[in-house]
Amino acid sequence: MKRLLTKVRKIYRNSRISQKLFLTFSMLIAIPAISVSFLFIRIQEVQLYKDAMSNGSSHISRINEKLRSKMDIIENASSTALTQKSFVDFIHSNMRGDGLRLVKFRQNQFEQMHNIIQSNEMISELSFYVDNPDLYEIWPEIYHYDKFTPQDYWQTLRDEGGAAYRIFAFQDGEHTLSYYRLVRLQGQQQKRPSIMEIRTPHNLFFSDLLEETGGDFFSVVMEGGDASRYIYNPQHSFSQAAGEELEQILASIHRQLDALEQNSPLKVQVGGQTYYAVYRYLVPLDAYVVDIASHQALMKGPRSWYALVVVITLCVLLLLMLLVSHTTRRLFRRLDSVLSSMRKVRKGQLDEKIDTGLEEDETGDEIDEVAITYNKMLDEIKHLMTQVVDKQLIAKNAQLHSLHSQINSHFLYNALEAIRMQAEVQQQPVIAEALVSLGSLLRYSMKWSGDTVALEEELANIQSYIKFINFMEGGGYVLTEILPQEVLLYAIPKMCMQPIVENAVHHAAPKGGSVHIQITVRVENDNLLLIEIADDGVGVDPQILASLQAILLGESDTPIVTGKNGLGLGNVHKRLQLNYGKDYGLWIDSVQGAYTRVMIRLPWENVNLGGW
């Protein structure tokens, strides 16, 4: 792939300007035109999809309403049948004891029940299953409970409120829907309650669904708990077109059905084709009524528009190529003279400018503008060459100024030494000692013979600083050190501890109080040098502390501003991480009114220390 891109770039680079212009115009005109056209087609597709889903939802809602209406008819018929109390009482009594009672039952109660069944076209059969040893099974409406399977189904009915539908009945379930209902009798002594079953054929109950043979949507009723059981019209055009893939399509859709998300269309892909489905969940049936449509069938109109867009675009590109070729041939003849002058300049003739032939008040076209700009560039090059010489002179002057500053620093050291000696002569040891500390501080901070110093040198500088501060402010600062002897000669970055101690001096002490500063040094895991600088001062405000910790962890882009929060940690932390990596640097911890601790993490390997 990389070689191909390199080859394409090389071909483009070596192409003529007219060819590049043609490619540019093609990208500026043809590609947006195609994009806009395809976008328009896509919008049409989206609108078609929305309209189709809306129509599908309306269609499935109508089917849903019709099915619920038929369920109401069945439930009303069952309620009417159970109102025949004398019929129900008789089939739970001894039907074999008195033949005359049986004859009267046949002429009265049974005939009334039979008329209820015959008068309702939704009911093909109505049967009672009774746990009665004296039951007389002479009519298909009355059976002993042993004829019902499964025997323990009454428990399921009890758990579901006494009634339930099965879109595939226990008997002849492939073509029949059944409605089961418990028959509860006052004082019933049977072990198992009686069950009433109303059966209706699928082609009658689902007639609205099974009669449709065409249209964009293919309607299916799927059992909620079994993906392999569904009801549909095999003569529908969708079913005929899907062929052997129909079962796979239905199984894929069934896996995504969710009673809680029944207002959201589904999308599945089977055999390289995309299918959409809208559905409704029928709680009484524990089933889904699903409308399925093929993406290819829904979008067959807009798809034909793509070819038309491509043909029109190719014609536009052909006309564009002819126009660009003619225009560029006339336009770039004047470039030959410009290129000739540029070649001479490339050989080093910086005074060889391009002759534009323009008057002072003429601006010319773009090619003339290139020539004028090129001439100005030559003048700028000459000017920059002069500037380089000037900068070299400035650098030399800076070096001289640096030497002069060193001379001034030596004068300052000598002056401090003379004052110290005079203080000792006049028996002023405190002033003399303070001058010694100040001189040490100045000498340490201004003398940079290297980027690193021994730890004991940094500590000595801090001791001098504390002595001088105690002299200046009345002796309220105490410095203690806890460290093993082997770390004293260890090289650390110069001035990495001094700013932290200064923070403790300037910000930790309460007004009119004193501060104890303790420096603890230890080596951890033979690879980490830890330097802890702690004080028992006033601590840091929690909000400022949180901000500082976020910055030290790299979780905030806000810089640490010394003048704003009084904590000069930013410079030290940033430089340590730049030199030693993100695993090293500073960490601060503080409790207001108790303490402030700053931890310096450095690698315990002298070879890795490079200073600042």
Side-chain angles (χ1 to χ4, degrees):
M1 186 65 181
K2 186 176 180 180
R3 293 179 60 186
L4 179 61
L5 291 175
T6 302
K7 187 175 182 180
V8 170
R9 282 196 291 265
K10 186 176 180 180
I11 293 174
Y12 176 80
R13 183 63 181 271
N14 297 329
S15 300
R16 296 181 62 83
I17 294 178
S18 59
Q19 295 172 338
K20 294 178 181 179
L21 282 175
F22 171 71
L23 179 61
T24 302
F25 287 143
S26 299
M27 295 177 65
L28 291 175
I29 298 176
I31 293 179
I34 294 176
S35 300
V36 170
S37 300
F38 284 2
L39 178 62
F40 173 76
I41 297 173
R42 178 59 181 164
I43 292 174
Q44 295 301 311
E45 290 181 349
V46 171
Q47 188 60 43
L48 281 176
Y49 167 78
K50 291 181 179 179
D51 293 343
M53 294 302 104
S54 177
N55 293 335
S57 296
S58 300
H59 178 257
I60 206 168
S61 295
R62 290 194 299 271
I63 293 178
N64 182 55
E65 291 174 1
K66 291 179 180 179
L67 293 180
R68 288 186 179 275
S69 176
K70 292 178 180 179
M71 285 189 288
D72 291 340
I73 294 174
I74 293 175
E75 292 169 9
N76 291 335
S78 71
S79 298
T80 303
L82 291 180
T83 59
Q84 306 300 310
K85 188 175 184 301
S86 57
F87 177 91
V88 177
D89 290 340
F90 187 80
I91 64 177
H92 287 83
S93 65
N94 185 358
M95 296 180 65
R96 301 178 183 274
D98 189 346
L100 181 60
R101 287 180 65 241
L102 185 63
V103 171
K104 291 182 178 180
F105 169 76
R106 170 66 180 84
Q107 294 175 346
N108 297 302
Q109 290 88 351
F110 178 81
E111 188 64 28
Q112 292 175 1
M113 182 65 70
H114 189 69
N115 290 335
I116 292 174
I117 299 171
Q118 294 295 323
S119 63
N120 196 319
E121 61 178 8
M122 290 296 300
I123 301 175
S124 61
E125 294 181 11
L126 186 151
S127 301
F128 287 85
Y129 297 88
V130 185
D131 187 13
N132 182 6
D134 298 322
L135 188 75
Y136 194 58
E137 295 181 326
I138 193 172
W139 300 289
E141 287 80 6
I142 305 171
Y143 292 98
H144 194 275
Y145 194 88
D146 292 339
K147 300 291 177 55
F148 184 84
T149 56
Q151 294 282 298
D152 59 350
Y153 186 64
W154 66 272
Q155 297 177 359
T156 302
L157 288 177
R158 179 193 61 191
D159 296 339
E160 294 185 5
Y165 285 92
R166 286 185 60 84
I167 60 174
F168 296 95
F170 289 120
Q171 299 180 34
D172 192 25
E174 185 177 356
H175 306 291
T176 306
L177 175 143
S178 286
Y179 176 67
Y180 300 95
R181 185 165 177 175
L182 287 177
V183 180
R184 302 183 184 276
L185 297 177
Q186 186 70 25
Q188 182 177 343
Q189 299 299 321
Q190 288 79 11
K191 295 181 181 179
R192 294 169 297 192
S194 302
I195 294 178
M196 179 179 66
E197 178 187 23
I198 297 178
R199 294 154 58 83
T200 181
H202 286 166
N203 58 3
L204 182 60
F205 190 84
F206 299 106
S207 58
D208 299 297
L209 180 146
L210 297 175
E211 289 175 357
E212 297 180 355
T213 58
D216 293 332
F217 283 91
F218 171 58
S219 300
V220 184
V221 175
M222 297 184 177
E223 191 173 76
D226 190 346
S228 64
R229 306 186 75 175
Y230 31 75
I231 303 167
Y232 64 89
N233 183 2
Q235 304 302 320
H236 195 281
S237 58
F238 181 92
S239 174
Q240 299 289 332
E244 297 180 355
E245 292 182 348
L246 180 60
E247 291 188 3
Q248 187 178 356
I249 295 170
L250 297 179
S252 299
I253 292 175
H254 191 278
R255 283 194 293 269
Q256 298 189 39
L257 294 176
D258 187 347
L260 300 178
E261 299 290 339
Q262 56 184 317
N263 291 322
S264 301
L266 302 179
K267 179 181 178 181
V268 298
Q269 289 187 332
V270 177
Q273 296 290 331
T274 301
Y275 300 92
Y276 303 110
V278 291
Y279 62 96
R280 292 290 184 276
Y281 178 64
L282 286 174
V283 178
L285 297 182
D286 186 24
Y288 294 91
V289 182
V290 186
D291 269 7
I292 308 171
S294 167
H295 176 80
Q296 184 178 8
L298 291 178
M299 304 301 169
K300 58 186 177 183
R303 293 292 176 179
S304 62
W305 300 345
Y306 284 104
L308 179 62
V309 170
V310 172
V311 171
I312 294 175
T313 303
L314 290 176
C315 294
V316 171
L317 286 178
L318 179 60
L319 293 175
L320 182 63
M321 182 177 63
L322 296 175
L323 178 63
V324 170
S325 177
H326 176 72
T327 304
T328 54
R329 194 180 304 114
R330 294 174 57 87
L331 180 64
F332 290 106
R333 288 175 183 171
R334 293 170 46 229
L335 276 178
D336 291 339
S337 60
V338 175
L339 292 174
S340 176
S341 298
M342 286 184 175
R343 292 189 187 101
K344 293 178 181 180
V345 173
R346 186 174 57 186
K347 293 179 181 179
Q349 302 177 24
L350 297 180
D351 293 329
E352 188 65 31
K353 295 185 179 180
I354 299 173
D355 184 13
T356 60
L358 296 175
E359 300 293 337
E360 292 184 0
D361 56 345
E362 288 184 291
T363 57
D365 57 15
E366 287 80 1
I367 298 177
D368 294 323
E369 186 177 355
V370 169
I372 294 172
T373 303
Y374 190 78
N375 291 337
K376 291 181 179 179
M377 183 183 66
L378 292 178
D379 294 336
E380 186 67 21
I381 289 174
K382 293 178 181 179
H383 177 67
L384 291 175
M385 291 174 66
T386 303
Q387 283 186 341
V388 169
V389 175
D390 293 340
K391 287 181 180 179
Q392 291 177 348
L393 292 175
I394 293 173
K396 291 296 183 179
N397 291 334
Q399 292 179 2
L400 292 175
H401 180 73
S402 176
L403 291 173
H404 180 69
S405 297
Q406 293 180 11
I407 294 172
N408 289 339
S409 63
H410 286 298
F411 172 77
L412 180 60
Y413 300 150
N414 293 334
L416 289 174
E417 182 65 19
I419 297 172
R420 183 189 68 81
M421 293 180 63
Q422 185 67 26
E424 289 183 352
V425 170
Q426 296 182 8
Q427 297 183 354
Q428 296 289 337
V430 176
I431 298 176
E433 186 178 353
L435 288 170
V436 170
S437 300
L438 179 57
S440 299
L441 288 173
L442 291 173
R443 187 174 295 104
Y444 185 80
S445 60
M446 299 181 69
K447 182 180 178 182
W448 288 76
S449 59
D451 292 324
T452 59
V453 296
L455 178 60
E456 63 179 353
E457 294 182 55
E458 184 80 1
L459 290 174
N461 180 61
I462 292 173
Q463 291 168 355
S464 298
Y465 172 74
I466 294 298
K467 289 179 181 178
F468 184 74
I469 289 298
N470 281 329
F471 170 76
M472 295 290 294
E473 299 186 9
Y477 302 94
V478 178
L479 176 68
T480 59
E481 302 166 359
I482 302 176
L483 68 164
Q485 291 297 312
E486 62 267 21
V487 302
L488 287 175
L489 298 179
Y490 194 80
I492 66 171
K494 186 175 181 179
M495 298 293 286
C496 69
M497 298 168 59
Q498 173 75 18
I500 301 171
V501 175
E502 289 183 15
N503 282 334
V505 168
H506 292 302
H507 302 288
K511 190 173 183 180
S514 61
V515 171
H516 176 206
I517 301 172
Q518 179 173 295
I519 299 176
T520 305
V521 184
R522 68 179 187 275
V523 179
E524 188 175 278
N525 299 328
D526 292 331
N527 64 358
L528 190 64
L529 179 67
L530 298 178
I531 303 174
E532 180 182 276
I533 303 174
D535 65 72
D536 58 356
V538 297
V540 182
D541 181 85
Q543 291 185 351
I544 296 177
L545 178 65
S547 175
L548 289 171
Q549 290 175 340
I551 295 170
L552 294 178
L553 287 173
E555 297 174 352
S556 174
D557 296 331
T558 304
I560 302 178
V561 182
T562 303
K564 182 178 179 181
N565 51 44
L567 296 172
L569 304 178
N571 188 43
V572 176
H573 180 70
K574 182 176 180 181
R575 291 183 178 179
L576 289 178
Q577 288 203 333
L578 286 174
N579 282 276
Y580 309 130
K582 295 296 183 182
D583 294 333
Y584 304 98
L586 302 185
W587 179 250
I588 182 172
D589 184 25
S590 180
V591 173
Q592 267 194 308
Y595 66 86
T596 299
R597 285 196 294 263
V598 178
M599 182 70 71
I600 303 176
R601 295 166 56 91
L602 295 172
W604 178 241
E605 299 171 356
N606 266 315
V607 294
N608 289 336
L609 288 174
W612 293 1

